[in-house]
Coordinates of all heavy atoms in Angstrom, one line a residue:
R266 N 45.9 81.3 240.3 CA 46.7 81.0 239.1 C 48.2 81.4 239.3 O 49.1 80.6 238.9 CB 46.2 81.8 237.9 CG 44.8 81.3 237.5 CD 44.3 82.1 236.2 NE 45.1 81.7 235.1 CZ 44.8 80.6 234.3 NH1 43.8 79.8 234.7 NH2 45.6 80.3 233.3
E267 N 48.4 82.5 239.9 CA 49.8 82.9 240.3 C 50.4 81.9 241.2 O 51.6 81.6 241.1 CB 49.8 84.3 240.8 CG 49.5 85.4 239.8 CD 49.4 86.8 240.4 OE1 49.5 86.9 241.7 OE2 49.3 87.8 239.7
R268 N 49.6 81.4 242.2 CA 50.1 80.4 243.1 C 50.5 79.1 242.4 O 51.5 78.5 242.7 CB 49.1 80.1 244.2 CG 49.6 79.2 245.3 CD 48.5 78.7 246.2 NE 47.5 77.9 245.4 CZ 47.7 76.6 245.1 NH1 48.8 76.0 245.5 NH2 46.8 76.0 244.5
I269 N 49.6 78.7 241.5 CA 49.9 77.5 240.7 C 51.2 77.6 239.9 O 52.0 76.7 239.8 CB 48.7 77.2 239.8 CG1 47.5 76.8 240.7 CG2 49.0 76.0 238.8 CD1 46.2 76.6 239.9
I270 N 51.3 78.8 239.2 CA 52.6 79.0 238.4 C 53.8 79.0 239.3 O 54.8 78.4 239.0 CB 52.4 80.4 237.7 CG1 51.3 80.3 236.6 CG2 53.8 80.8 237.0 CD1 51.0 81.6 236.0
K271 N 53.7 79.6 240.5 CA 54.8 79.7 241.4 C 55.2 78.2 241.9 O 56.3 77.9 242.0 CB 54.5 80.6 242.6 CG 55.6 80.7 243.6 CD 55.3 81.7 244.7 CE 56.4 81.8 245.7 NZ 56.1 82.7 246.8
D272 N 54.1 77.5 242.2 CA 54.3 76.1 242.7 C 55.0 75.3 241.6 O 55.9 74.5 241.8 CB 53.0 75.4 243.0 CG 52.4 76.0 244.3 OD1 53.2 76.7 245.1 OD2 51.2 75.8 244.6
K273 N 54.6 75.5 240.3 CA 55.2 74.8 239.2 C 56.7 75.2 239.1 O 57.6 74.3 238.8 CB 54.5 75.1 237.9 CG 53.1 74.4 237.8 CD 52.5 74.7 236.4 CE 51.2 73.9 236.3 NZ 50.5 74.2 235.0
E274 N 57.0 76.4 239.2 CA 58.4 76.9 239.2 C 59.2 76.3 240.3 O 60.4 75.8 240.1 CB 58.5 78.4 239.2 CG 57.9 79.1 238.0 CD 57.9 80.6 238.1 OE1 58.2 81.1 239.3 OE2 57.6 81.3 237.2
E275 N 58.7 76.2 241.5 CA 59.4 75.6 242.6 C 59.6 74.1 242.4 O 60.7 73.6 242.7 CB 58.6 75.9 243.9 CG 58.7 77.4 244.3 CD 57.9 77.6 245.6 OE1 57.2 76.6 246.1 OE2 57.9 78.7 246.1
E276 N 58.6 73.5 241.9 CA 58.7 72.0 241.6 C 59.8 71.8 240.5 O 60.6 70.8 240.7 CB 57.4 71.5 241.1 CG 56.3 71.4 242.2 CD 55.0 70.9 241.6 OE1 54.9 70.6 240.4 OE2 54.0 70.8 242.4
E277 N 59.8 72.6 239.5 CA 60.9 72.5 238.5 C 62.3 72.7 239.1 O 63.2 72.0 238.8 CB 60.6 73.5 237.4 CG 61.6 73.4 236.2 CD 61.5 72.2 235.5 OE1 60.5 71.4 235.6 OE2 62.5 71.9 234.7
K278 N 62.4 73.7 240.0 CA 63.6 74.0 240.6 C 64.1 72.8 241.5 O 65.3 72.4 241.4 CB 63.5 75.3 241.5 CG 64.8 75.7 242.1 CD 64.6 76.9 243.0 CE 65.9 77.3 243.7 NZ 65.8 78.6 244.5
A279 N 63.1 72.3 242.3 CA 63.4 71.1 243.1 C 63.8 69.9 242.2 O 64.7 69.1 242.6 CB 62.3 70.8 244.0
R280 N 63.2 69.7 241.1 CA 63.5 68.6 240.2 C 64.9 68.8 239.7 O 65.7 67.8 239.6 CB 62.5 68.6 239.1 CG 62.6 67.4 238.1 CD 61.8 67.5 236.9 NE 62.3 68.6 236.1 CZ 63.3 68.5 235.3 NH1 64.0 67.4 235.2 NH2 63.6 69.6 234.5
K281 N 65.3 70.0 239.3 CA 66.6 70.2 238.8 C 67.7 69.9 239.8 O 68.7 69.3 239.6 CB 66.8 71.6 238.2 CG 66.0 71.9 236.9 CD 66.2 73.3 236.5 CE 65.5 73.6 235.2 NZ 65.6 75.0 234.7
E282 N 67.4 70.4 241.1 CA 68.4 70.2 242.2 C 68.5 68.7 242.4 O 69.6 68.2 242.7 CB 67.9 70.9 243.4 CG 68.0 72.4 243.3 CD 67.5 73.1 244.6 OE1 67.0 72.4 245.4 OE2 67.7 74.3 244.6
K283 N 67.4 68.0 242.4 CA 67.4 66.5 242.6 C 68.2 65.8 241.5 O 69.0 64.9 241.8 CB 66.0 66.0 242.7 CG 65.9 64.5 243.0 CD 64.4 64.1 243.1 CE 64.4 62.6 243.4 NZ 62.9 62.1 243.4
S284 N 68.1 66.3 240.3 CA 68.8 65.7 239.2 C 70.3 65.9 239.3 O 71.1 65.0 239.1 CB 68.4 66.3 237.9 OG 67.0 66.0 237.6
I285 N 70.7 67.1 239.8 CA 72.1 67.4 240.0 C 72.7 66.6 241.1 O 73.8 66.0 241.0 CB 72.3 68.9 240.3 CG1 71.9 69.8 239.1 CG2 73.7 69.2 240.8 CD1 71.9 71.3 239.4
L286 N 72.0 66.4 242.2 CA 72.4 65.6 243.3 C 72.6 64.1 242.9 O 73.5 63.5 243.3 CB 71.5 65.7 244.5 CG 71.4 67.0 245.2 CD1 70.3 67.0 246.3 CD2 72.8 67.3 245.9
K287 N 71.7 63.7 242.1 CA 71.7 62.3 241.6 C 73.0 62.1 240.7 O 73.7 61.1 240.7 CB 70.5 61.9 240.8 CG 70.4 60.5 240.4 CD 69.1 60.2 239.7 CE 69.0 58.7 239.3 NZ 70.0 58.3 238.4
L288 N 73.2 63.1 239.8 CA 74.4 63.1 239.0 C 75.7 63.0 239.8 O 76.6 62.3 239.5 CB 74.4 64.3 238.0 CG 75.6 64.4 237.1 CD1 75.6 63.2 236.1 CD2 75.5 65.7 236.3
M289 N 75.7 63.9 240.8 CA 76.9 63.9 241.7 C 77.1 62.6 242.4 O 78.2 62.1 242.5 CB 76.8 65.0 242.7 CG 76.8 66.4 242.1 SD 76.5 67.7 243.4 CE 78.0 67.5 244.4
K290 N 76.0 61.9 242.8 CA 76.1 60.6 243.4 C 76.6 59.6 242.5 O 77.4 58.7 242.8 CB 74.7 60.3 244.0 CG 74.7 59.0 244.8 CD 73.4 58.7 245.4 CE 73.4 57.3 246.1 NZ 72.0 57.0 246.7
D291 N 76.1 59.6 241.2 CA 76.5 58.7 240.2 C 77.9 58.8 239.9 O 78.6 57.8 239.6 CB 75.6 58.8 238.9 CG 74.2 58.4 239.1 OD1 73.9 57.7 240.1 OD2 73.3 58.8 238.3
L292 N 78.5 60.0 239.9 CA 79.9 60.3 239.6 C 80.8 60.1 240.8 O 82.0 60.2 240.7 CB 80.0 61.7 239.0 CG 79.4 62.0 237.7 CD1 79.5 63.4 237.3 CD2 79.9 61.1 236.6
D293 N 80.1 59.8 241.9 CA 80.9 59.6 243.2 C 81.8 60.7 243.6 O 82.9 60.6 243.9 CB 81.7 58.3 243.1 CG 82.2 57.8 244.4 OD1 81.5 58.1 245.4 OD2 83.2 57.1 244.5
I294 N 81.2 61.9 243.5 CA 81.9 63.1 243.8 C 81.3 63.9 245.0 O 81.8 64.9 245.4 CB 82.1 64.1 242.6 CG1 80.7 64.6 242.2 CG2 82.8 63.5 241.5 CD1 80.7 65.6 241.1
K295 N 80.3 63.3 245.6 CA 79.6 63.9 246.7 C 80.5 63.9 248.0 O 81.0 62.8 248.4 CB 78.3 63.3 247.0 CG 77.5 64.0 248.1 CD 76.2 63.3 248.3 CE 75.4 63.9 249.4 NZ 74.1 63.3 249.7
G296 N 80.8 65.0 248.6 CA 81.6 65.0 249.8 C 83.1 64.9 249.7 O 83.8 65.0 250.7
K297 N 83.6 64.7 248.5 CA 85.0 64.6 248.3 C 85.6 66.0 248.2 O 85.1 66.9 247.6 CB 85.3 63.8 247.0 CG 85.1 62.3 247.1 CD 85.7 61.6 246.0 CE 85.5 60.1 246.2 NZ 86.1 59.3 245.1
P298 N 86.9 66.2 248.8 CA 87.5 67.5 248.8 C 88.0 67.8 247.4 O 88.3 66.9 246.6 CB 88.7 67.3 249.8 CG 89.0 65.9 249.8 CD 87.6 65.2 249.6
V299 N 88.2 69.0 247.1 CA 88.8 69.4 245.8 C 90.2 69.0 245.7 O 91.0 69.2 246.7 CB 88.6 71.0 245.6 CG1 89.2 71.4 244.3 CG2 87.2 71.3 245.7
R300 N 90.7 68.4 244.6 CA 92.0 67.9 244.5 C 93.0 69.1 244.3 O 92.8 70.0 243.5 CB 92.1 67.0 243.2 CG 91.4 65.7 243.4 CD 91.5 64.8 242.2 NE 90.6 65.4 241.1 CZ 91.1 65.9 240.0 NH1 92.3 66.1 239.8 NH2 90.2 66.4 239.1
D301 N 94.1 69.1 245.2 CA 95.1 70.1 245.1 C 96.2 69.7 244.1 O 97.0 70.5 243.7 CB 95.7 70.4 246.5 CG 94.6 71.0 247.4 OD1 93.8 71.7 246.8 OD2 94.7 70.8 248.6
E302 N 96.4 68.3 243.9 CA 97.5 67.8 243.1 C 97.0 67.7 241.6 O 95.9 67.5 241.4 CB 98.0 66.5 243.6 CG 98.5 66.6 245.1 CD 98.8 65.3 245.6 OE1 98.6 64.3 244.9 OE2 99.4 65.2 246.8
V303 N 98.0 67.6 240.8 CA 97.8 67.4 239.4 C 97.7 65.9 239.1 O 98.7 65.2 239.3 CB 98.8 68.0 238.5 CG1 98.6 67.8 237.0 CG2 98.8 69.5 238.8
D304 N 96.6 65.4 238.7 CA 96.4 63.9 238.5 C 96.4 63.5 237.0 O 96.7 62.4 236.7 CB 95.1 63.4 239.1 CG 95.1 63.5 240.6 OD1 96.2 63.6 241.2 OD2 94.0 63.5 241.2
V305 N 96.1 64.4 236.2 CA 96.0 64.1 234.8 C 96.8 65.1 234.0 O 97.1 66.2 234.4 CB 94.5 64.0 234.3 CG1 93.8 62.9 235.0 CG2 93.8 65.4 234.5
L306 N 97.1 64.7 232.7 CA 98.0 65.5 231.9 C 97.3 66.9 231.6 O 97.9 67.9 231.6 CB 98.3 64.8 230.6 CG 99.2 65.5 229.6 CD1 100.5 65.8 230.3 CD2 99.3 64.7 228.3
S307 N 96.0 66.8 231.4 CA 95.3 68.1 231.0 C 95.3 69.1 232.1 O 95.2 70.3 231.9 CB 93.8 67.8 230.6 OG 93.1 67.2 231.7
D308 N 95.5 68.6 233.4 CA 95.5 69.5 234.5 C 96.7 70.3 234.5 O 96.8 71.4 235.1 CB 95.4 68.7 235.8 CG 94.1 68.1 236.1 OD1 93.1 68.6 235.4 OD2 94.0 67.2 236.9
T309 N 97.8 69.9 233.8 CA 99.1 70.7 233.8 C 98.9 71.9 233.0 O 99.7 72.9 233.2 CB 100.2 69.8 233.2 OG1 99.9 69.5 231.8 CG2 100.4 68.5 234.0
E310 N 97.9 72.0 232.2 CA 97.7 73.2 231.4 C 97.3 74.4 232.2 O 97.5 75.5 231.8 CB 96.6 72.9 230.3 CG 97.0 71.8 229.3 CD 95.9 71.5 228.3 OE1 94.8 72.1 228.5 OE2 96.1 70.6 227.5
S311 N 96.7 74.1 233.4 CA 96.3 75.2 234.2 C 97.4 75.7 235.1 O 97.2 76.7 235.9 CB 95.1 74.7 235.1 OG 95.5 73.7 235.9
V312 N 98.6 75.1 235.1 CA 99.7 75.5 236.0 C 100.2 76.8 235.4 O 100.5 76.9 234.2 CB 100.8 74.4 236.1 CG1 101.9 74.9 237.0 CG2 100.2 73.2 236.6
E313 N 100.5 77.8 236.2 CA 101.0 79.1 235.7 C 102.4 78.9 235.3 O 103.2 78.1 235.7 CB 100.8 80.1 236.8 CG 99.4 80.4 237.2 CD 99.3 81.4 238.3 OE1 100.4 81.9 238.7 OE2 98.2 81.8 238.7
A314 N 102.8 79.8 234.4 CA 104.2 79.9 233.9 C 105.1 80.1 235.1 O 104.8 80.9 235.9 CB 104.3 80.9 232.8
G315 N 106.3 79.5 235.0 CA 107.3 79.6 236.1 C 107.1 78.6 237.1 O 108.0 78.5 238.0
E316 N 106.1 77.8 237.1 CA 105.9 76.7 238.1 C 106.3 75.4 237.5 O 105.4 74.5 237.2 CB 104.5 76.7 238.6 CG 104.1 78.0 239.4 CD 102.7 77.9 240.0 OE1 102.1 76.8 239.9 OE2 102.3 78.9 240.6
N317 N 107.6 75.2 237.1 CA 108.1 74.0 236.5 C 107.5 73.7 235.1 O 107.5 72.6 234.7 CB 107.9 72.8 237.4 CG 108.6 73.0 238.7 OD1 109.7 73.6 238.8 ND2 108.0 72.5 239.8
D318 N 106.8 74.7 234.5 CA 106.2 74.5 233.2 C 105.2 73.3 233.2 O 105.2 72.6 232.2 CB 107.2 74.4 232.1 CG 108.0 75.7 232.0 OD1 107.4 76.7 232.2 OD2 109.2 75.6 231.6
G319 N 104.6 73.1 234.3 CA 103.6 72.1 234.3 C 104.1 70.7 234.7 O 103.4 69.7 234.8
E320 N 105.4 70.6 234.9 CA 106.0 69.3 235.2 C 106.0 69.1 236.8 O 106.1 70.1 237.5 CB 107.4 69.2 234.7 CG 107.5 69.2 233.2 CD 108.9 69.1 232.7 OE1 109.8 69.1 233.6 OE2 109.1 69.1 231.5
V321 N 105.9 67.8 237.2 CA 105.9 67.5 238.6 C 107.3 67.6 239.1 O 108.2 67.0 238.6 CB 105.3 66.1 238.8 CG1 105.3 65.8 240.3 CG2 103.9 66.1 238.3
A322 N 107.6 68.4 240.2 CA 108.9 68.5 240.7 C 109.3 67.3 241.4 O 108.5 66.6 242.1 CB 109.0 69.7 241.7
R323 N 110.6 66.9 241.3 CA 111.1 65.7 241.9 C 111.6 66.0 243.3 O 112.0 67.1 243.6 CB 112.3 65.2 241.1 CG 112.8 63.8 241.5 CD 114.0 63.4 240.6 NE 113.7 63.5 239.2 CZ 112.9 62.6 238.6 NH1 112.5 61.6 239.2 NH2 112.7 62.8 237.3
D324 N 111.4 65.0 244.2 CA 111.8 65.1 245.6 C 113.3 65.2 245.6 O 114.1 64.5 244.9 CB 111.4 63.9 246.4 CG 109.8 63.9 246.5 OD1 109.2 64.9 246.4 OD2 109.3 62.8 246.8
E325 N 113.9 66.1 246.5 CA 115.3 66.4 246.6 C 116.1 65.2 247.0 O 117.2 65.0 246.7 CB 115.5 67.6 247.5 CG 115.0 68.9 246.9 CD 115.2 70.0 247.9 OE1 115.8 69.8 248.9 OE2 114.8 71.2 247.5
D326 N 115.5 64.3 247.9 CA 116.2 63.2 248.4 C 116.4 62.0 247.4 O 117.0 61.0 247.8 CB 115.6 62.7 249.7 CG 114.2 62.3 249.5 OD1 113.6 62.6 248.4 OD2 113.6 61.7 250.4
E327 N 115.8 62.1 246.3 CA 115.9 61.0 245.4 C 117.2 61.0 244.6 O 117.7 60.0 244.2 CB 114.7 61.0 244.3 CG 113.4 60.6 244.9 CD 112.3 60.6 243.8 OE1 112.7 60.7 242.7 OE2 111.2 60.4 244.2
G328 N 117.8 62.1 244.5 CA 119.1 62.2 243.7 C 118.9 62.2 242.2 O 117.7 62.0 241.8
P329 N 119.9 62.3 241.4 CA 119.8 62.3 240.0 C 119.5 60.9 239.4 O 119.8 59.9 240.1 CB 121.2 62.8 239.5 CG 122.1 62.4 240.6 CD 121.3 62.6 241.9
L330 N 118.9 60.9 238.3 CA 118.5 59.6 237.7 C 119.7 58.9 237.1 O 119.8 57.7 237.2 CB 117.5 59.8 236.5 CG 116.1 60.1 237.0 CD1 115.2 60.3 235.7 CD2 115.5 58.9 237.8
R331 N 120.8 59.6 236.5 CA 121.9 58.9 236.0 C 123.2 59.7 236.4 O 123.2 60.9 236.7 CB 121.9 58.9 234.4 CG 121.8 60.2 233.8 CD 121.7 60.1 232.3 NE 121.7 61.3 231.6 CZ 120.5 62.0 231.3 NH1 119.4 61.4 231.6 NH2 120.6 63.2 230.7
V332 N 124.3 59.0 236.4 CA 125.6 59.5 236.8 C 126.5 59.7 235.6 O 126.6 58.7 234.8 CB 126.3 58.7 237.9 CG1 127.6 59.3 238.3 CG2 125.3 58.5 239.1
Y333 N 127.3 60.8 235.5 CA 128.2 60.9 234.4 C 129.4 60.0 234.7 O 130.1 60.1 235.7 CB 128.7 62.4 234.4 CG 129.6 62.7 233.2 CD1 129.0 62.8 231.9 CD2 130.9 62.9 233.3 CE1 129.8 63.1 230.8 CE2 131.7 63.2 232.2 CZ 131.1 63.3 231.0 OH 131.9 63.6 229.9
T334 N 129.6 59.0 233.8 CA 130.6 57.9 234.0 C 132.0 58.1 233.5 O 132.8 57.2 233.7 CB 130.0 56.6 233.4 OG1 129.8 56.8 232.0 CG2 128.7 56.2 234.0
F335 N 132.2 59.2 232.8 CA 133.6 59.4 232.3 C 134.5 59.8 233.4 O 134.0 60.6 234.3 CB 133.6 60.4 231.1 CG 132.9 60.0 229.9 CD1 131.9 60.7 229.3 CD2 133.3 58.8 229.3 CE1 131.3 60.3 228.2 CE2 132.7 58.4 228.1 CZ 131.7 59.1 227.6
P336 N 135.8 59.4 233.4 CA 136.7 59.9 234.4 C 136.9 61.4 234.3 O 136.6 62.0 233.3 CB 138.0 59.2 234.0 CG 137.6 58.0 233.2 CD 136.4 58.5 232.5
E337 N 137.3 62.0 235.4 CA 137.5 63.4 235.5 C 138.4 64.0 234.4 O 138.3 65.1 234.0 CB 137.9 63.8 236.9 CG 136.8 63.6 237.9 CD 137.2 64.1 239.3 OE1 138.3 64.6 239.4 OE2 136.4 63.9 240.2
D338 N 139.5 63.1 234.1 CA 140.5 63.6 233.2 C 140.0 63.4 231.7 O 140.7 63.7 230.8 CB 141.9 62.9 233.4 CG 141.7 61.4 233.2 OD1 140.6 60.9 233.0 OD2 142.8 60.7 233.3
R339 N 138.8 62.8 231.6 CA 138.2 62.6 230.3 C 139.0 61.8 229.4 O 139.1 62.0 228.2 CB 137.8 63.9 229.7 CG 136.9 64.8 230.6 CD 136.4 66.0 229.9 NE 135.5 65.8 228.8 CZ 134.2 65.5 228.9 NH1 133.7 65.5 230.1 NH2 133.5 65.4 227.9
A340 N 139.8 60.7 230.0 CA 140.7 59.9 229.1 C 139.9 59.1 228.1 O 140.5 58.7 227.1 CB 141.6 59.1 230.0
G341 N 138.7 58.7 228.5 CA 137.9 57.9 227.6 C 137.3 58.6 226.4 O 136.7 58.0 225.5
E342 N 137.5 59.9 226.3 CA 136.9 60.7 225.3 C 137.8 60.6 224.0 O 139.0 60.6 224.1 CB 136.7 62.1 225.7 CG 135.9 62.9 224.7 CD 135.7 64.3 225.3 OE1 136.0 64.6 226.5 OE2 135.2 65.2 224.5
V343 N 137.2 60.4 222.8 CA 138.0 60.4 221.5 C 138.5 61.7 221.2 O 137.8 62.7 221.2 CB 137.1 59.9 220.4 CG1 137.8 59.9 219.1 CG2 136.5 58.5 220.7
T344 N 139.9 61.7 221.0 CA 140.6 62.9 220.6 C 141.4 62.7 219.4 O 141.5 61.6 218.8 CB 141.5 63.4 221.8 OG1 142.5 62.5 222.0 CG2 140.7 63.7 223.0
A345 N 142.2 63.7 218.9 CA 143.0 63.5 217.8 C 144.2 62.5 218.0 O 144.6 61.8 217.1 CB 143.6 64.9 217.4
K346 N 144.6 62.4 219.3 CA 145.7 61.5 219.6 C 145.3 60.0 219.5 O 146.0 59.1 219.2 CB 146.3 61.8 221.0 CG 146.9 63.1 221.1 CD 147.5 63.4 222.5 CE 148.2 64.7 222.6 NZ 148.7 65.0 224.0
T347 N 144.0 59.8 219.9 CA 143.5 58.4 220.0 C 142.8 58.0 218.8 O 142.4 56.8 218.7 CB 142.6 58.2 221.2 OG1 141.5 59.1 221.1 CG2 143.3 58.6 222.5
D348 N 142.7 58.8 217.8 CA 141.9 58.5 216.6 C 142.5 57.4 215.8 O 141.9 56.5 215.3 CB 141.7 59.8 215.8 CG 140.8 59.5 214.6 OD1 139.6 59.1 214.8 OD2 141.2 59.8 213.5
A349 N 143.9 57.5 215.6 CA 144.6 56.5 214.8 C 144.5 55.1 215.3 O 144.2 54.1 214.6 CB 146.1 56.9 214.6
D350 N 144.7 54.9 216.6 CA 144.6 53.6 217.3 C 143.2 53.1 217.2 O 143.0 51.9 216.9 CB 145.0 53.7 218.8 CG 146.5 54.1 219.0 OD1 147.2 53.8 218.0 OD2 146.8 54.6 220.0
L351 N 142.2 54.0 217.3 CA 140.8 53.6 217.2 C 140.5 53.1 215.8 O 139.8 52.0 215.6 CB 139.9 54.7 217.5 CG 138.4 54.4 217.5 CD1 138.1 53.4 218.6 CD2 137.6 55.7 217.8
Q352 N 141.0 53.7 214.7 CA 140.8 53.3 213.4 C 141.5 51.9 213.1 O 140.9 51.1 212.4 CB 141.4 54.3 212.4 CG 140.6 55.7 212.4 CD 139.2 55.5 211.8 OE1 138.9 54.6 211.1 NE2 138.3 56.4 212.2
A353 N 142.6 51.7 213.7 CA 143.3 50.4 213.5 C 142.5 49.3 214.1 O 142.4 48.2 213.5 CB 144.7 50.5 214.1
R354 N 141.9 49.5 215.3 CA 141.1 48.5 215.9 C 139.9 48.2 215.1 O 139.4 47.1 215.0 CB 140.7 48.9 217.3 CG 141.9 48.9 218.3 CD 141.4 48.9 219.8 NE 140.7 50.1 220.1 CZ 141.2 51.2 220.6 NH1 142.6 51.2 220.7 NH2 140.5 52.2 220.9
Y355 N 139.2 49.2 214.5 CA 138.1 49.0 213.6 C 138.4 48.2 212.4 O 137.7 47.2 212.1 CB 137.5 50.4 213.2 CG 136.7 51.1 214.2 CD1 136.5 52.5 214.0 CD2 136.2 50.5 215.3 CE1 135.8 53.2 214.9 CE2 135.5 51.2 216.2 CZ 135.3 52.5 216.1 OH 134.5 53.2 217.0
Q356 N 139.6 48.4 211.8 CA 140.0 47.7 210.6 C 140.3 46.2 210.9 O 139.9 45.3 210.2 CB 141.3 48.4 210.0 CG 141.8 47.7 208.8 CD 140.8 47.9 207.6 OE1 140.1 48.9 207.6 NE2 140.8 46.9 206.7
Q357 N 140.9 46.0 212.1 CA 141.2 44.6 212.5 C 140.0 43.8 212.8 O 139.9 42.7 212.4 CB 142.1 44.6 213.8 CG 142.6 43.2 214.2 CD 143.4 43.3 215.5 OE1 143.7 44.4 216.0 NE2 143.8 42.2 216.0
A358 N 139.0 44.4 213.4 CA 137.7 43.8 213.7 C 137.0 43.5 212.4 O 136.4 42.4 212.2 CB 136.9 44.6 214.6
F359 N 137.1 44.4 211.4 CA 136.4 44.2 210.1 C 137.0 43.0 209.4 O 136.2 42.1 208.8 CB 136.4 45.4 209.3 CG 135.9 45.3 207.9 CD1 134.5 45.2 207.7 CD2 136.8 45.2 206.9 CE1 134.0 45.1 206.4 CE2 136.3 45.0 205.6 CZ 134.9 45.0 205.3
E360 N 138.3 42.9 209.3 CA 139.0 41.8 208.6 C 138.7 40.5 209.2 O 138.5 39.5 208.5 CB 140.5 42.1 208.5 CG 140.9 43.3 207.7 CD 142.4 43.6 207.8 OE1 143.1 42.9 208.6 OE2 142.8 44.5 207.0
S361 N 138.7 40.4 210.5 CA 138.4 39.2 211.2 C 137.0 38.7 210.9 O 136.8 37.5 210.6 CB 138.6 39.4 212.7 OG 138.2 38.2 213.4

Side-chain angles (χ1 to χ4, degrees):
R266 295 181 69 82
E267 290 175 351
R268 184 191 66 80
I269 292 172
I270 293 172
K271 184 178 179 180
D272 289 346
K273 287 183 178 180
E274 291 176 351
E275 291 178 353
E276 289 176 2
E277 181 65 16
K278 182 179 178 181
R280 186 190 65 80
K281 289 181 178 179
E282 291 178 353
K283 184 178 179 181
S284 299
I285 293 173
L286 291 175
K287 185 177 183 300
L288 178 62
M289 292 176 66
K290 183 177 179 181
D291 292 341
L292 296 175
D293 195 24
I294 61 176
K295 182 179 180 182
K297 287 191 175 182
V299 179
R300 290 178 286 112
D301 294 327
E302 301 175 355
V303 178
D304 292 339
V305 295
L306 182 62
S307 61
D308 289 342
T309 65
E310 297 175 359
S311 62
V312 179
E313 295 182 0
E316 297 184 5
N317 299 325
D318 293 329
E320 296 179 355
V321 180
R323 188 179 307 281
D324 294 337
E325 294 179 358
D326 58 350
E327 287 186 5
L330 283 179
R331 61 179 181 270
V332 179
Y333 187 71
T334 56
F335 294 124
E337 293 183 2
D338 59 359
R339 304 184 66 80
E342 189 174 352
V343 177
T344 63
K346 295 180 180 180
T347 61
D348 184 57
D350 295 337
L351 184 61
Q352 291 294 335
R354 287 199 299 272
Y355 283 163
Q356 183 66 31
Q357 184 181 358
F359 173 75
E360 291 175 356
S361 176

